[in-house]
């Protein structure tokens, strides 16, 4: 509204000049707009303050509380975020009076100093989240959720660094699965009532799907399109996936060859036989 007041004045002044009717407006613009322009400047600052508070509430929300080790820490941070408004709400001067401009600038300076501290706190909690998550798939889901959340630019920048962390975690998971496969392929661990061949195939497929799910998600993330870590991790994944696929096919073919021999020989046997009847014995 304050900005529109000046725009409206200038438009009406121009309309009068173009129409050629009426007296030209020659008023002291400094007297007309100095106060309102300063008030608009203060309002703009208040709008930025509101945006900062909303950004912090977005990041320090229920989702972050649900995945860190000590959720009570988030409640403490939120209380500090809400206290950012206290110097403005309890100001003992008229913030819209240009006479108090220095006081207002000092208040805003203190506000942004505290904002900087809270941004560092947020980055610390984000780092903690990625340390406690146990697999790349969950970490990626969390990162994509945070990425879509409107928050501070420094926090967004910190989040973008985590894509490489996720790829490093995925590479570790590939190595873990590769180790399980190499240790268990001679004598696969079977579930109760699983026959040896089907149980071995089931086991190797479970290992494969542990990696396949995150791969399907990771390959569609734009931020990882040109990642060198992704290329290395995916190369590692393709190599072990090829070995597991070959293992499965070899197991199946070995079973099929033996089963075919048994079936063919069984099919040649008679399925009926003659039994002497003894009516006197019923």
């Amino acid at each position: 509204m304050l900005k529109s007041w000046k725009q409206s004045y200038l438009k009406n002044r121009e309309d009068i000049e173009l129409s050629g009717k009426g007296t030209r407006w020659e008023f002291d613009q400094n007297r007309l707009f100095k106060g309102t322009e300063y008030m608009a400047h203060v309002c703009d600052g208040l709008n930025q303050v509101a945006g900062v508070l909303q950004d912090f509430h977005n990041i320090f929300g229920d989702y972050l509380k649900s995945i860190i080790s000590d959720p009570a820490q988030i409640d403490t941070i939120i209380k500090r975020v809400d206290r950012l408004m206290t110097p403005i709400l309890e100001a003992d001067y008229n913030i819209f009076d240009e006479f108090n401009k220095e006081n207002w600038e000092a208040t805003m300076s203190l506000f942004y100093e505290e904002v900087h501290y809270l941004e560092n706190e947020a980055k610390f909690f984000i780092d903690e989240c990625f340390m406690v998550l146990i697999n790349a798939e969950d970490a990626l889901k969390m990162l994509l959720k945070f990425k879509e959340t409107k928050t501070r630019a420094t926090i967004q920048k910190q989040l973008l660094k985590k894509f490489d962390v996720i790829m490093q975690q995925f590479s570790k998971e590939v190595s873990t699965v590769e180790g399980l496969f190499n240790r268990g392929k001679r004598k696969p661990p079977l579930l109760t009532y699983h026959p040896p061949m089907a149980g071995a195939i089931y086991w190797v497929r479970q290992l494969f799907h542990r990696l396949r799910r995150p791969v399907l998600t990771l390959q569609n993330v734009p931020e990882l399109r040109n990642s060198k870590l992704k290329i290395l991790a995916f190369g590692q994944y393709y190599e072990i996936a090829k070995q597991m696929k070959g293992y499965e096919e070899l197991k199946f073919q070995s079973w099929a060859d033996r089963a075919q021999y048994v079936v063919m020989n069984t099919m040649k046997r008679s399925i009926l036989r003659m039994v002497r009847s003894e009516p006197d014995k019923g």
Side-chain angles (χ1 to χ4, degrees):
M1 183 188 71
L2 292 165
K3 291 178 179 178
S4 296
W5 145 240
K6 183 175 183 180
Q7 294 168 0
S8 179
Y9 169 87
L10 294 174
K11 184 178 184 306
N12 275 277
R13 183 172 183 269
E14 183 182 13
D15 290 344
I16 291 172
E17 289 181 358
L18 293 175
S19 68
K21 300 176 183 179
T23 308
R24 177 185 174 88
W25 284 7
E26 292 293 352
F27 302 109
D28 184 355
Q29 292 194 24
N30 186 56
R31 185 177 177 184
L32 286 174
F33 305 120
K34 184 178 180 182
T36 56
E37 285 187 332
Y38 180 74
M39 291 172 68
H41 168 70
V42 173
C43 286
D44 186 51
L46 291 174
N47 186 48
Q48 292 177 30
V49 167
V52 169
L53 295 177
Q54 186 61 59
D55 288 346
F56 278 126
H57 277 280
N58 287 342
I59 200 69
F60 290 117
D62 292 336
Y63 185 69
L64 185 60
K65 286 175 68 174
S66 69
I67 55 179
I68 69 167
S69 57
D70 186 6
Q73 291 179 306
I74 299 298
D75 293 329
T76 302
I77 295 295
I78 284 296
K79 289 178 182 178
R80 292 187 60 180
V81 170
D82 292 337
R83 285 201 298 269
L84 287 171
M85 281 294 293
T86 302
I88 298 173
L89 295 173
E90 298 180 357
D92 58 356
Y93 61 92
N94 181 2
I95 64 173
F96 294 106
D97 189 340
E98 192 172 5
F99 178 78
N100 299 314
K101 182 177 180 180
E102 289 186 4
N103 291 335
W104 172 247
E105 289 177 347
T107 299
M108 294 302 291
S109 177
L110 289 173
F111 172 82
Y112 281 107
E113 283 181 16
E114 185 67 10
V115 166
H116 178 70
Y117 178 83
L118 289 172
E119 285 175 344
N120 289 333
E121 287 285 311
K123 290 191 285 187
F124 169 79
F125 285 122
I126 288 170
D127 289 342
E128 182 183 336
C129 291
F130 281 90
M131 289 174 63
V132 299
L133 288 170
I134 59 174
N135 61 63
E137 189 175 15
D138 287 346
L140 182 62
K141 287 178 182 177
M142 188 196 77
L143 180 55
L144 294 177
K145 187 175 180 67
F146 278 150
K147 182 173 169 285
E148 295 170 359
T149 301
K150 182 184 178 298
T151 187
R152 306 292 296 159
T154 55
I155 297 174
Q156 286 285 5
K157 186 177 179 180
Q158 182 78 357
L159 288 170
L160 291 176
K161 296 178 181 178
K162 298 303 177 184
F163 284 104
D164 284 346
V165 175
I166 288 174
M167 290 313 308
Q168 290 171 356
Q169 175 61 29
F170 176 68
S171 182
K172 291 178 184 177
E173 291 172 17
V174 174
S175 297
T176 299
V177 169
E178 184 176 12
L180 290 172
F181 172 69
N182 288 329
R183 288 193 300 271
K185 62 185 179 181
R186 291 176 182 247
K187 189 178 180 182
L190 304 178
L191 295 179
T192 307
Y193 307 122
H194 266 193
M197 289 300 178
I201 291 174
Y202 180 84
W203 168 74
V204 78
R205 284 193 178 184
Q206 289 297 305
L207 288 179
F208 172 71
H209 284 290
R210 278 178 61 174
L211 299 177
R212 185 172 181 269
R213 283 196 313 271
V215 162
L216 293 176
T217 306
L218 289 166
Q219 68 183 6
N220 294 320
V221 177
E223 288 81 359
L224 291 171
R225 189 169 291 124
N226 300 315
S227 170
K228 293 181 179 178
L229 288 173
K230 176 187 172 183
I231 295 172
L232 292 173
F234 273 34
Q236 187 182 5
Y237 159 74
Y238 289 136
E239 183 60 34
I240 187 61
K242 190 191 304 180
Q243 293 178 33
M244 288 191 287
K245 182 65 174 175
Y247 175 85
E248 178 184 333
E249 291 175 349
L250 185 63
K251 282 288 183 184
F252 176 77
Q253 192 59 50
S254 174
W255 171 83
D257 290 344
R258 287 203 300 271
Q260 185 178 19
Y261 173 80
V262 172
V263 169
M264 293 302 294
N265 281 278
T266 303
M267 291 294 287
K268 294 176 181 179
R269 296 173 60 184
S270 300
I271 59 174
L272 299 176
R273 66 174 178 165
M274 295 180 67
V275 179
R276 182 178 296 276
S277 174
E278 300 182 16
D280 55 329
K281 293 185 178 180

